[in-house]
Amino acid sequence: MGSALDEQGGFAQGFDFLRIFLAAGIIGWHTAWLTGHVETAKASAFWFSQYMLVPMFFALSGFLVAGSSMRLSTKSFLLNRAARILPALFADIVFAALLIGPLVTTLPARQYFTDANFFTYFLNLTGWMQYSLPGVFESNPKPEVNGALWTIPFEIGCYAIIAGLMISGAIKRPALVLLFTYAVLIVGTPLRLATSYLVGDHVSILENLAMQIFSSFGSLLWPSFLIGIVLYQLRYYVPFSRTIAIGLVCVAILVSAFGDAAVLLSNSTIVSIMLPLIGYLTVMIGLSPMPRLPGFGTGDYSYGLYLYHTPFLQLLIHYFPEAWIGDRWWTLFFAGFPLTLMAAVISWHLFEYPSLKLRRSFVVKHRPEGGFGGFEDRTHAPNSQSAPRTAPLSG
């Protein structure tokens, strides 16, 4: 993998393609969820993709940020991440609370702006997720304003983990990171099973936290991120094999055709094997030649696609509820994707790209000399061949 990466100048175009593909896949699944047809989607031949898309995003992130984490100071690395994540997240939260909310709420304006839920919605900026605004989308099948934000705490957790590896110096010792990743894989599933009884509304704060960390699907994301880091660190030892990648795609198809989700997620051995294979497949796709998507060469719109799609889908459901009834629910994707892409393009050029340019003055310019150039040190200029592709859902 290291040689394949070097041959492409340190960044492969396949990562651009993969990022947009994964974002589109997640939008597709959320189309089913928001219209109340998620069980129909789970019963389809594509059910296994639900368990691949977000872990692939996190594995991709780990691979892409590993280079700078081994070279930058912890402070610079975290400032770098904040500059990439926070501007678009802030814009999304403000847009939902100050524009969408007043537009569709069933409450009078005065009551809306003085409701406690209006103020707590801004806690999303801290990673404390709040999914509802007062009187907003109450008649939709799902009343959440932006359920896609559920991954933000896990993303913050990933950066806390990598910061710990940097502070301890373990990030420069691949064997230690490999052992740590293996331990997380082995220990994670038993903890998930041990906390699986924590269901219902009558659980304590600590029990709820344990349930979110270990019992939810999100418990697969941190090991996926670590696997991406390990693949980068061992890139000159991991084979670049399209035969293996094609074989893994075939396995995924077979699992979708004949597998069982309950068995898949409850067996620690299967999970410990599945996540490294998904991570390998992710990086292989990223390092492989992929077509340049028309219209996507002027910016990194994947974060915006992920971050903004739910509010726009919800708006379409709110204003045209009859259009997505029955077998027509999947057409919501084709109506919502262009709107979301428009928002992502505006967000990139208005908020994200200016923040990345500013980032260079306090992070990239002062990085230590030497070492592999990494990915995220390249501020993306329009029509350039390389870009700062760094975070799973944050572009």
Side-chain angles (χ1 to χ4, degrees):
M1 286 184 168
S3 298
L5 188 61
D6 293 342
E7 290 173 1
Q8 300 180 68
F11 182 81
Q13 192 64 38
F15 287 109
D16 284 342
F17 178 91
L18 180 60
R19 203 187 308 266
I20 299 300
F21 177 82
L22 294 175
I26 290 171
I27 294 174
W29 271 100
H30 286 173
T31 297
W33 170 261
L34 294 174
T35 56
H37 291 86
V38 69
E39 294 304 323
T40 301
K42 287 182 177 181
S44 71
F46 303 101
W47 71 267
F48 186 52
S49 65
Q50 180 189 18
Y51 301 101
M52 292 182 64
L53 294 171
V54 182
M56 289 179 77
F57 250 133
F58 274 72
L60 180 150
S61 173
F63 187 84
L64 297 186
V65 303
S68 58
S69 71
M70 297 170 66
R71 185 187 62 262
L72 294 175
S73 68
T74 305
K75 177 182 177 181
S76 293
F77 177 84
L78 293 178
L79 286 173
N80 200 355
R81 296 290 78 235
R84 184 64 186 98
I85 296 172
L86 293 181
L89 180 61
F90 179 80
D92 172 72
I93 292 169
V94 170
F95 175 73
L98 300 185
L99 292 178
I100 293 180
L103 187 66
V104 304
T105 183
T106 58
L107 302 178
R110 181 181 179 85
Q111 187 176 348
Y112 172 81
F113 285 110
T114 56
D115 192 285
N117 284 346
F118 170 77
F119 295 101
T120 57
Y121 191 76
F122 290 90
L123 290 175
N124 284 311
L125 280 170
T126 68
W128 186 357
M129 293 299 99
Q130 310 292 320
Y131 299 114
S132 64
L133 282 167
V136 175
F137 298 138
E138 288 183 338
S139 61
N140 287 16
K142 301 293 181 181
E144 61 197 38
V145 178
N146 195 348
L149 296 178
W150 76 270
T151 59
I152 298 297
F154 292 96
E155 187 170 353
I156 293 173
C158 285
Y159 297 135
I161 290 172
I162 200 170
L165 295 175
M166 294 170 69
I167 293 171
S168 66
I171 195 67
K172 296 182 179 179
R173 303 180 66 181
L176 287 180
V177 180
L178 178 61
L179 289 174
F180 178 64
T181 302
Y182 183 73
V184 170
L185 280 171
I186 297 302
V187 175
T189 299
L191 288 174
R192 183 164 61 252
L193 295 176
T195 54
S196 61
Y197 72 94
L198 298 173
V199 295
D201 299 325
H202 304 290
V203 295
S204 68
I205 294 177
L206 289 178
E207 287 177 328
N208 184 64
L209 179 62
M211 181 172 61
Q212 293 299 318
I213 293 175
F214 301 117
S215 297
S216 69
F217 174 63
S219 62
L220 303 180
L221 304 185
W222 291 329
S224 298
F225 181 80
L226 286 168
I227 288 166
I229 295 175
V230 170
L231 286 172
Y232 177 82
Q233 291 181 319
L234 303 179
R235 62 194 181 281
Y236 291 108
Y237 303 94
V238 180
F240 181 85
S241 173
R242 291 192 177 92
T243 301
I244 295 177
I246 293 172
L248 292 177
V249 171
C250 293
V251 170
I253 293 173
L254 290 174
V255 171
S256 291
F258 304 105
D260 182 89
V263 174
L264 180 74
L265 295 178
S266 64
N267 189 299
S268 61
T269 302
I270 292 177
V271 172
S272 299
I273 295 174
M274 178 186 73
L275 289 183
L277 294 180
I278 288 177
Y280 178 86
L281 179 61
T282 300
V283 178
M284 277 299 305
I285 295 174
L287 294 176
S288 300
M290 291 291 173
R292 179 176 291 276
L293 297 173
F296 289 89
T298 58
D300 179 10
Y301 307 134
S302 58
Y303 184 33
L305 282 172
Y306 180 84
L307 200 59
Y308 302 128
H309 75 272
T310 301
F312 282 100
L313 294 179
Q314 288 284 59
L315 281 172
L316 289 171
I317 294 171
H318 175 82
Y319 284 113
F320 309 100
E322 302 297 325
W324 331 110
I325 293 178
D327 294 338
R328 297 173 302 191
W329 63 267
W330 57 272
T331 60
L332 178 62
F333 173 87
F334 296 98
F337 188 88
L339 292 176
T340 306
L341 179 59
M342 178 181 65
V345 171
I346 294 172
S347 175
W348 171 261
H349 292 287
L350 196 60
F351 304 113
E352 299 167 57
Y353 179 52
S355 297
L356 292 179
K357 289 201 299 184
L358 179 64
R359 174 191 67 174
R360 297 189 66 181
S361 65
F362 58 83
V363 176
V364 179
K365 184 185 299 183
H366 303 294
R367 70 179 183 268
E369 296 296 328
F372 181 76
F375 302 108
E376 66 185 84
D377 293 343
R378 298 180 177 177
T379 301
H380 183 46
N383 301 316
S384 67
Q385 296 298 313
S386 58
R389 321 300 196 187
T390 52
L393 308 175
S394 56

